[in-house]
Amino acid sequence: MSNKNASSNTDHQPIRLLARSKQAVELYTLPDTSSATEATKIKKGGTILHEGKTTLHVLSPNGQVAFIHDVSVGLLRSDLTENSANYKAQTFLKEDSKAVQLAKCSPRGSFLVTWERHSGVNNLKVWESNNGTLLTSFSCKKATLTGLQWTHDEKFAFHLVTNEIHIYDANTWKRVGKVRCQGVSSFSLPSVKGVAPNIIVGKDAAEKYLLTVFTPGTKGKPSRVDLLRYPDRMGRESSTVSSDASAASTGGNNNDAVNPPSGPALTSKSLFNAEEAQVQWSPRADSALVLTQTSIDSTGESYYGSSHLFLLLENDPKRPGNGSALSVPLPPEAAKDAQGTVPIVSCSWVSNPTITGTVPFTVISGRMPALASLHHGITGEPTFLFGRAHRNSVDISPHGRFLVVGGYGNLAGGMDFWDRNKGKMIPRHVILPEIGGGSNVNNECYVTIKEAADLTVTSSSPVVGHEWSPDSRTYLVSTTSPRMNVENGIHLYRYDGAMVEESRLPWDNSKYLPDKLLSAEYVPAPFPNTENNSNNSGKSEFYYYPDRPQSPAPKRYNELKGEDANAALTKLRASHVGNGKGNSNKGIGGAGATPAASAYVPPAARKAGGGAYVPPGARRGAATGGTSLAERMRQEREGSSAAVSAKKVTKKVGPVGAASVVAATDASSINNPDGKSKNAIRREKQRLAKEKAEREAAEAERRKKDEEAARAQANMADPEKRAKKIKKSLKQIEEIKVKERNGEELNDDQKKKLAGEESLREELASLGL
């Protein structure tokens, strides 16, 4: 475990992988896989943490500890630090834990929470992760761990009970507050909170914590999601000090003085078609995506139900100090279903909070082939289209630079590797040790694959697990049991989609066949060292591993270009198709076969009228000996997919909503259509943004003046009529106040009327009646 991964700085620990099979739990140290030119073989084997039948394992967020559950022993703890003398898992809990069925760690790894089958006693238990001391326990009948969550810094713990969420001090486990919400079924707290690069955090600044609360709909009442903030904006019925604590501090008297109600929610959104809500937090913990779903369509027109996507913001740009909720606008290119709606397949945030500007998020929407798009993190507007394909997942690297748009599960397992910063698929350098392409070619050459059709990688076995490594340099896919009971194994890809040969990996996939692999995942990176942080901003390096761009082309090899490159690609394709290497992946540059033709066809000759005639035998797909009917039907359906691939969405200069999509087959022409320098483009964007802000401010001011003038004119025309109308509204407000005092829950319209009471009284006074 002492050797270092050369792909990172020598001061960083190597990348590690934990694999749990039916026989044992093993820890592997990955060698340097940053270069595709080095083909050195390594010694097979890893470190065995535990042998025997296991039901689950949990890795701490900093990768220093692994918790393993053995049904015959209970929950075990394995120290994964480099200075550990023994990696063997050992019993550490003070009580019996054989019945544990679920487990998870708190955001910083200080606590471990477990769930056992309910048997009349508290079955949701919280343990000290270091020494196994039982800290507290709760009763939980449902097999879930989402009812107990910590804030990102582990100062407070939130526990869901009937109609309330209790808030505890995580050090003493004393109640310090509650969130009152009738019918609440779930809530969510961000586990990570990063800081934007232009924000200065004061050391004495009071910490506030956002959370979302979801309430399912009842008869005649829609579902609702609320964005709350502890301790000041948790809802009017919530409090910052528990009733028990306030009674103890005052002897049971004057509870209102020490138990004041909290302020209203930051924002709320009524959901008229939602049975459940999945929440994904921005890495800055200041906004959240809410994906609502229904399992059954009430109209009976759709078998899959319906889905909607909303964006919740802590700070509305147009109303500082207030939150906002908006429906995420989807690209018009997304394929609609038979009812004219666009289904949401998945969504995810770019995981790096330290990027400049707003943190964006990705969405896959529409019928298959679905459309993958990148959206603005505040307005929700689409900004870039990755194209349409059979994809259902977007995995973003920890540093937010690279991403994989993949189709897993029931889909074919296609993977597209993108560089988000450049807006292009990552080119792949393929070494040609034995394949020459012309008279000037020797055995130390390489070709660069740039076309999207050749860069797409397809796994021949169904993909169950998939994730990026902590250093953002490799991508793992695995086929595990019980989801798939055949072809179990672990495969590794470089960030550009090139497959790492099994001879360069420390594990042997043959021992996992056919159904012996249960789980495989990267060991998380250690938390960054903040001891030497002395700047006034209070910020520190967010990542343990440095952010690295694409590696340059290998210098000790010669790049083939022109006809030599075309000939080499033709021979490379022919060799992959002829030797039958199709057991791992498809795509040029990997270790498997490619769905390319026997002869290379230049791009100019692939479309009608775009070059010389290409005979049928030389066309793409002819070498496979005939394509199946299903494949030909898919190609026809995806005929328009290329038309929306690598497109940047831009807005017209005009009113809000006047957006258009400008096609760009070449991403470089999108970013710089007039050949301007980067500084000139940046200044132009700043000027347009300033003009737009000025226009919006002027328009808002004009509308405000028009409304005030119209109101004054109406009052002058018939002040008695206006006064009568105002008195009627004030009477309604008094009735609403009575309902509020009686404990009735107010709807959005009633709350809006209460907020406008002061302005109505001022207007009535100005009438002078």
Side-chain angles (χ1 to χ4, degrees), residues 103-120:
K104 74 171 183 180
C105 285
S106 57
R108 303 294 295 180
S110 302
F111 307 99
L112 179 70
V113 57
T114 61
W115 182 90
E116 305 172 6
R117 188 178 297 276
H118 192 268
S119 59

Side-chain angles (χ1 to χ4, degrees), residues 148-218:
L148 180 63
Q149 301 180 34
W150 281 264
T151 56
H152 67 275
D153 55 5
E154 295 184 349
K155 290 183 178 180
F156 300 97
F158 289 62
H159 179 229
L160 176 65
V161 296
T162 304
N163 298 327
E164 289 184 350
I165 301 174
H166 293 170
I167 306 172
Y168 296 88
D169 186 322
N171 294 322
T172 62
W173 289 98
K174 294 182 179 180
R175 274 182 56 185
V176 295
K178 69 175 182 179
V179 177
R180 176 70 181 177
C181 187
Q182 188 72 25
V184 56
S185 66
S186 64
F187 72 99
S188 177
L189 284 164
S191 59
V192 176
K193 185 175 183 179
V195 180
N198 59 336
I199 300 298
I200 298 178
V201 180
K203 294 183 179 180
D204 299 330
E207 187 72 50
K208 297 181 179 180
Y209 307 92
L210 294 185
L211 71 150
T212 60
V213 176
F214 175 71
T215 305
T218 56

Side-chain angles (χ1 to χ4, degrees), residues 31 72 127 179 246 340 369 406 417 477 481 530 540 563 589 599 603 635 642 681:
S72 61
W127 313 82
V179 177
S246 62
F417 292 77
V477 298
S481 177
T530 59
S540 63
E563 294 299 328
Q635 292 175 0
I681 295 175

Side-chain angles (χ1 to χ4, degrees), residues 281-485:
W281 286 94
S282 162
R284 294 176 184 170
D286 57 357
S287 54
L289 289 172
V290 180
L291 176 60
T292 63
Q293 294 178 325
T294 57
S295 57
I296 301 176
D297 186 3
S298 59
T299 63
E301 297 178 350
S302 175
Y303 175 79
Y304 297 100
S306 60
S307 57
H308 303 276
L309 185 62
F310 301 94
L311 177 62
L312 305 182
L313 302 175
E314 179 184 12
N315 292 305
D316 189 341
K318 297 182 179 179
R319 298 185 306 155
N322 295 290
S324 64
L326 56 94
S327 179
V328 175
L330 301 175
E333 289 80 3
K336 299 181 179 180
D337 57 19
Q339 291 73 41
T341 59
V342 179
I344 308 296
V345 180
S346 68
C347 61
S348 57
W349 287 93
V350 172
S351 53
N352 189 350
T354 63
I355 63 176
T356 303
T358 304
V359 178
F361 59 90
T362 62
V363 178
I364 297 182
S365 58
R367 296 179 58 192
M368 293 294 167
L371 175 65
S373 54
L374 190 70
H375 293 248
H376 193 274
I378 295 179
T379 65
E381 295 285 345
T383 58
F384 187 82
L385 306 182
F386 296 101
R388 290 173 56 190
H390 284 73
R391 305 289 185 265
N392 59 5
S393 175
V394 177
D395 290 333
I396 303 172
S397 64
H399 297 87
R401 180 184 295 272
F402 307 127
L403 59 89
V404 175
V405 184
Y408 306 126
N410 294 331
L411 300 182
M415 296 176 285
D416 301 323
F417 292 77
W418 288 79
D419 188 322
R420 184 187 61 84
N421 294 352
K422 296 183 178 181
K424 297 180 180 180
M425 291 186 69
I426 304 175
R428 189 177 307 138
H429 306 297
V430 182
I431 309 300
L432 306 173
E434 299 178 355
I435 301 177
S439 58
N440 297 326
V441 179
N442 54 35
N443 289 335
E444 293 186 351
C445 301
Y446 73 91
V447 292
T448 301
I449 311 299
K450 299 180 180 180
E451 299 177 35
D454 295 332
L455 291 174
T456 297
V457 179
T458 304
S459 175
S460 60
S461 58
V463 175
V464 178
H466 46 92
E467 65 172 316
W468 280 96
S469 63
D471 62 352
S472 301
R473 306 304 289 179
T474 56
Y475 184 73
L476 176 148
V477 298
S478 61
T479 303
T480 58
S481 177
R483 176 66 178 82
M484 293 300 301
N485 292 323

Side-chain angles (χ1 to χ4, degrees), residues 618-642:
R619 293 175 185 170
R620 183 177 298 275
T624 59
T627 309
S628 65
L629 176 61
E631 183 64 23
R632 291 200 301 270
M633 292 176 65
R634 171 182 288 189
Q635 292 175 0
E636 291 178 1
R637 291 196 305 268
E638 296 183 352
S640 60
S641 299

Side-chain angles (χ1 to χ4, degrees), residues 676-685:
K676 297 180 180 179
S677 64
K678 292 183 179 180
N679 289 334
I681 295 175
R682 177 175 53 81
R683 289 193 297 269
E684 180 70 14
K685 290 181 179 179

Side-chain angles (χ1 to χ4, degrees), residues 395-594:
D395 290 333
I396 303 172
S397 64
H399 297 87
R401 180 184 295 272
F402 307 127
L403 59 89
V404 175
V405 184
Y408 306 126
N410 294 331
L411 300 182
M415 296 176 285
D416 301 323
F417 292 77
W418 288 79
D419 188 322
R420 184 187 61 84
N421 294 352
K422 296 183 178 181
K424 297 180 180 180
M425 291 186 69
I426 304 175
R428 189 177 307 138
H429 306 297
V430 182
I431 309 300
L432 306 173
E434 299 178 355
I435 301 177
S439 58
N440 297 326
V441 179
N442 54 35
N443 289 335
E444 293 186 351
C445 301
Y446 73 91
V447 292
T448 301
I449 311 299
K450 299 180 180 180
E451 299 177 35
D454 295 332
L455 291 174
T456 297
V457 179
T458 304
S459 175
S460 60
S461 58
V463 175
V464 178
H466 46 92
E467 65 172 316
W468 280 96
S469 63
D471 62 352
S472 301
R473 306 304 289 179
T474 56
Y475 184 73
L476 176 148
V477 298
S478 61
T479 303
T480 58
S481 177
R483 176 66 178 82
M484 293 300 301
N485 292 323
V486 293
E487 300 182 359
N488 283 193
I490 310 170
H491 302 289
L492 216 62
Y493 296 85
R494 297 178 66 244
Y495 66 88
D496 60 356
M499 187 176 184
V500 180
E501 297 179 357
E502 290 195 16
S503 61
R504 302 176 62 186
L505 299 176
W507 59 82
D508 184 4
N509 280 325
S510 62
K511 71 177 183 179
Y512 297 132
L513 294 175
D515 60 347
K516 298 179 181 179
L517 182 64
L518 300 175
S519 177
E521 62 176 310
Y522 285 109
V523 176
F527 293 141
N529 185 11
T530 59
E531 296 179 357
N532 298 326
N533 179 32
S534 59
N535 54 17
N536 296 326
S537 66
K539 297 191 306 180
S540 63
E541 188 69 26
F542 192 75
Y543 291 103
Y544 176 79
Y545 296 103
D547 182 16
R548 299 168 57 200
Q550 299 179 31
S551 300
K555 294 182 178 180
R556 65 188 184 93
Y557 290 86
N558 300 319
E559 182 179 9
L560 302 184
K561 297 181 180 180
E563 294 299 328
D564 289 341
N566 294 343
L569 285 170
T570 301
K571 292 186 178 181
L572 183 63
R573 290 192 181 99
S575 65
H576 277 269
V577 173
N579 62 19
K581 293 180 180 180
N583 58 342
S584 298
N585 81 314
K586 297 180 181 180
I588 297 179
T594 174

